[in-house]
Amino acid sequence: MTSSPILEAIDLARHYRVNRGVLRRPATLRALDGVSFVLSPGRTLAVVGESGSGKSTLARQITLIETPTSGDILFSGRGVDSFDKSEWPELRRSIQMVFQDPYGSLNPRKTVGAILGEPLAINSTLGASARRDAVHEMMAKVGLRPELSGRYPHMFSGGQRQRIAIARALMSNPRIVVADEPVSALDVSVRAQVINLMLDLRDEFHLAYVFISHDLSVVRFIADEVIVLYLGRPVEKAAVETLFETPAHPYTRLLIASTPRADNTARRERVAPHGEIPSPLSPPSGCAFRIRCPFAARVCEDKRPELRPFANREVACHRVEDIAG
Amino acid sequence: MTAAAKIRPVASPNPLARFWWVFRENPGAVVGLWVISAIVVAALLADAIAPHPPHEQYRDAFLTPPAFARGGTWRYPLGTDDIGRDILSRIVHGARLSLLVGGIVVSLSLAAGILLGLLAGFTRGIVEIAIMRSMDIMLALPALLLAIVIVAVLGPGLTNAMYAIAIVSLPHYVRLTRAAVIAERTKDYVIASRLAGAGVPRLAFVTVLPNCLAPLIVQATLGFSTAVLDVAALGFLGLGAQPPTPEWGTMLADARQFMQRAWWVVTFPGLAILITVLSFNLLGDGLRDALDPRMRR
Ligand SMILES: Nc1ncnc2c1ncn2[C@@H]1O[C@H](COP(=O)(O)OP(=O)(O)O)[C@@H](O)[C@H]1O
Ligand SMILES: [Mg+2]
């Protein structure tokens, strides 16, 4: 880890105003709050959490699709706000995204060749034949037969489409790729192939990944560092081995315990996540996880736990010393 | 020559073939398509098909009945009107006019409707509100009434009638385009184009528009029949094509007073309008089924 960070997030927050009908005042939904991280080239940061925990919202802030309500994003050490109009295209193409749904993320009216060629058509001065060569080269890199460049997306399987989506992201020659649950929609049998492809490409192009997943079993293979989100807030941030070997936050433990593991001969008792996720519009006072937490105490009701260092990681839990210590 | 240059793309199974497969399941639509093709051929070859010039008055043959009726002659297969003009020839030439009018009206309103719809769908805010409210106001008034008002302002004549009809059919296209744009613009493939650096014009015309075309094609087909009907209505009211132009609505209006005596003077132009409008509607329904499965009943 010698290279300097390519992307930093500092106390990132994104709040949405949601209308609740005519008679009630609009409410503020804190989809994301207090997220910070540092990401270097060649590394993967995983973001995990149940559905609705703000993972996609985080992806939209990092990829500059939306503007955060507060907090800063630094690209190569420079705040993205300070990029002026002439530098913006360069910044934009440096941060690419792979979406969850391989059926919705490819334009159904365009051939694969046109989809992959678009970033070059927009950002480069290459002629049509040079673009076609580049497209064919990239298709080969992601394991697709270049002869298929004249086909439309609906003629490919989910796994192949996700390869196309990855290829499209790489056509912009990015530094950072944000992958929002890239394998969740795929058959279990092709997930490993796509993950391995992503790992190979990360090393070949020296990319930095933000890998979003609700499935911890996938994260283990690809991540270097993990952030666990709960209702938009980070509850634990640790290196991947630390997190899996000695999870500290009760929520992390719950997630890991409920993950099916192939290598487990004596099947561990599956801890069913008891209780529903509370509505993000009216989260519980204090610690948002307390109503589902077996260790909840008085203090958890009164005060929101801040992220603080604990045994080689950061945890947001009042009682972590009692639970994991 | 590099190695990559030798790669020959594998052809896609033809999307047109898939379309045709669904389309031909609908007998009404296929009939509509055949009839429209026949009308188009007749219009193109009007000079060759029509037995007489459309304006030629045969003074020895006022109000001759059609050939198959008593007193008719094959010289005038569908009879003649009150000043001795051959009705078949006028109908065939009228087809040319009706199709031309339909084509121009649909092109005008489609182009303007797509532009306004894309503008409304992509800008949102005040521009969108302004556009959509004006469209609502136009839709609230009966189309023909509005067209009459517009022609009254612009002055009667075929060209102004076409403008008027194009304007009154605008709201349908604007609404369809905007609705489709709003449904598409938050989809992942559009966001991906944005991340690739596409600006709003490229997003609108290259990325989003091709995915919004299906309902627009259907509407354009139906709009064709509305245009034919409305231009005939304006012609009938004396606000559209002016006599002696062989326009179907104008022919009806001219011959109105002889309706009791000579049924053929109004029946055949009326049938021409009916068949054309019906065919376009059948075709439109078939296209809707084949292109836009979501709208299928
Ligand atoms: N544009 C938006 N407007 C209002 N609420 C939103 C919007 N986008 C996301 N949310 C809300 O923010 C929360 C987090 O959503 P999301 O980031 O999609 O979660 P995840 O990807 O982890 O499932 C959810 O409660 C969701 O309803
Ligand atoms: Mg999500």
Side-chain angles (χ1 to χ4, degrees):
Chain A
M1 227 189 96
T2 46
S3 37
S4 56
I6 180 75
L7 186 75
E8 277 174 81
I10 302 166
D11 210 15
L12 225 47
R14 176 67 169 128
H15 302 168
Y16 294 109
R17 270 170 75 87
V18 283
N19 292 319
R20 294 180 300 173
V22 194
L23 296 178
R24 301 169 71 186
R25 276 188 302 128
T28 303
L29 190 153
R30 294 165 181 266
L32 196 69
D33 233 330
V35 174
S36 306
F37 61 82
V38 176
L39 184 62
S40 301
R43 313 267 303 167
T44 300
L45 169 77
V47 179
V48 300
E50 287 162 298
S51 164
S53 54
K55 305 184 296 294
S56 299
T57 304
L58 177 61
R60 287 195 296 273
Q61 316 309 311
I62 303 172
T63 49
L64 312 175
I65 296 169
E66 289 180 359
T67 315
T69 310
S70 66
D72 291 302
I73 299 172
L74 311 188
F75 178 81
S76 278
R78 223 180 114 192
V80 292
D81 299 339
S82 72
F83 283 73
D84 63 34
K85 235 181 133 116
S86 64
E87 299 166 299
W88 187 255
E90 177 71 12
L91 175 65
R92 171 124 271 180
R93 67 151 198 79
S94 298
I95 310 176
Q96 290 295 311
M97 184 158 174
V98 175
F99 298 86
Q100 171 173 5
D101 174 17
Y103 293 84
S105 68
L106 303 175
N107 192 337
R109 302 270 163 173
K110 295 255 187 293
T111 63
V112 172
I115 291 172
L116 296 185
E118 184 175 40
L120 296 180
I122 296 171
N123 290 316
S124 75
T125 51
L126 294 180
S129 81
R131 287 208 300 266
R132 197 166 48 235
D133 289 349
V135 165
H136 288 161
E137 197 183 326
M138 185 59 78
M139 286 182 77
K141 279 219 164 84
V142 299
L144 293 165
R145 283 165 48 214
E147 297 86 56
L148 303 182
S149 64
R151 296 208 167 181
Y152 289 88
H154 72 261
M155 302 162 83
F156 292 88
S157 70
Q160 287 174 316
R161 286 176 193 224
Q162 212 55 312
R163 286 172 192 266
I164 298 168
I166 291 168
R168 171 184 52 199
L170 297 187
M171 287 308 286
S172 293
N173 195 15
R175 309 287 307 278
I176 301 156
V177 173
V178 178
D180 188 357
E181 312 211 24
V183 297
S184 311
L186 303 183
D187 281 352
V188 178
S189 55
V190 296
R191 284 187 186 172
Q193 296 169 12
V194 173
I195 296 284
N196 284 333
L197 172 69
M198 287 186 68
L199 281 172
D200 293 345
L201 294 170
R202 181 185 72 182
D203 298 338
E204 179 173 352
F205 294 100
H206 209 48
L207 299 167
Y209 280 162
V210 175
F211 187 94
I212 292 171
S213 176
H214 68 262
D215 180 2
L216 276 170
S217 59
V218 177
V219 164
R220 208 174 181 142
F221 296 105
I222 194 166
D224 298 297
E225 201 186 8
V226 184
I227 294 182
V228 182
L229 286 184
Y230 186 77
L231 280 184
R233 289 181 174 275
V235 297
E236 184 161 1
K237 196 167 126 191
V240 68
E241 312 83 39
T242 317
L243 192 93
F244 278 93
E245 297 312 323
T246 57
H249 196 281
Y251 180 60
T252 316
R253 296 166 154 229
L254 180 89
L255 284 181
I256 291 178
S258 57
T259 305
R261 285 178 55 173
D263 58 331
N264 229 357
T265 36
R267 264 190 79 200
R268 216 187 309 185
E269 193 191 337
R270 294 268 295 271
V271 184
H274 63 249
E276 295 280 304
I277 309 179
S279 157
L281 277 174
S282 51
S285 67
C287 174
F289 186 60
R290 69 178 162 81
I291 51 168
R292 294 168 76 190
C293 181
F295 309 102
R298 196 55 208 269
V299 60
C300 307
E301 222 169 298
D302 298 339
K303 224 175 104 217
R304 198 179 60 224
E306 297 297 332
L307 212 54
R308 63 196 163 98
F310 171 81
N312 291 327
R313 80 195 80 198
E314 288 177 68
V315 191
C317 177
H318 292 304
R319 302 201 56 212
V320 62
E321 285 82 2
D322 310 332
I323 302 163
Chain B
M1 275 278 148
T2 58
K6 287 201 209 86
I7 293 164
R8 229 178 262 128
V10 175
S12 289
N14 198 341
L16 212 65
R18 265 195 335 162
F19 159 78
W20 180 245
W21 195 79
V22 180
F23 182 81
R24 66 164 189 204
E25 293 290 289
N26 184 337
V30 176
V31 170
L33 184 62
W34 280 115
V35 174
I36 290 168
S37 310
I39 297 171
V40 170
V41 170
L44 288 176
L45 306 177
D47 294 317
I49 289 177
H52 305 278
H55 299 300
E56 187 69 42
Q57 303 176 7
Y58 297 97
R59 298 191 178 240
D60 52 343
F62 296 140
L63 293 176
T64 309
F68 48 83
R70 180 134 43 103
T73 154
W74 279 107
R75 210 169 116 74
Y76 312 108
L78 297 182
T80 59
D81 66 7
D82 53 309
I83 48 175
R85 294 174 298 195
D86 179 45
I87 289 181
L88 176 63
S89 306
R90 289 180 67 73
I91 286 180
V92 170
H93 278 91
R96 180 180 273 185
L97 206 63
S98 285
L99 292 187
L100 194 68
V101 165
I104 292 174
V105 166
V106 166
S107 314
L108 281 179
S109 47
L110 192 62
I114 285 175
L115 277 179
L116 287 173
L118 285 174
L119 197 63
F122 271 95
T123 53
R124 315 303 300 267
I126 189 80
V127 179
E128 180 190 25
I129 294 173
I131 293 175
M132 295 322 290
R133 288 301 152 268
S134 349
M135 293 305 133
D136 288 347
I137 293 170
M138 287 170 69
L139 274 180
L141 302 169
L144 194 58
L145 200 63
L146 191 57
I148 290 171
V149 172
I150 296 172
V151 177
V153 172
L154 297 177
L158 189 58
T159 322
N160 288 344
M162 290 195 308
Y163 289 144
I165 297 163
I167 290 172
V168 298
S169 48
L170 201 56
H172 300 286
Y173 299 97
V174 176
R175 287 183 137 199
L176 274 177
T177 311
R178 172 178 163 275
V181 166
I182 287 175
E184 294 295 316
R185 52 170 262 154
T186 52
K187 289 197 177 158
D188 287 347
Y189 76 87
V190 182
I191 295 174
S193 273
R194 254 174 75 193
L195 290 181
V200 172
R202 186 181 174 95
L203 286 181
F205 290 102
V206 180
T207 311
V208 171
L209 185 57
N211 287 290
C212 304
L213 282 184
L216 288 173
I217 291 173
V218 174
Q219 180 63 38
T221 316
L222 300 175
F224 214 104
S225 80
T226 317
V228 170
L229 195 60
D230 284 357
V231 107
L234 288 180
F236 183 78
L237 295 173
L239 297 168
Q242 299 299 308
T245 318
E247 194 275 322
W248 295 341
T250 318
M251 286 168 71
L252 280 181
D254 287 352
R256 205 169 45 203
Q257 63 206 79
F258 305 100
M259 200 154 68
Q260 303 286 339
R261 251 195 314 146
W263 54 270
W264 57 91
V265 289
V266 287
T267 305
F268 294 116
L271 274 178
I273 295 172
L274 177 73
I275 291 170
T276 310
V277 168
L278 193 63
S279 305
F280 273 105
N281 280 331
L282 287 173
L283 177 69
D285 277 348
L287 286 178
R288 183 199 318 255
D289 286 352
L291 290 175
D292 206 8
R294 281 166 303 173
M295 287 164 81
R296 204 175 292 177
R297 276 162 294 175

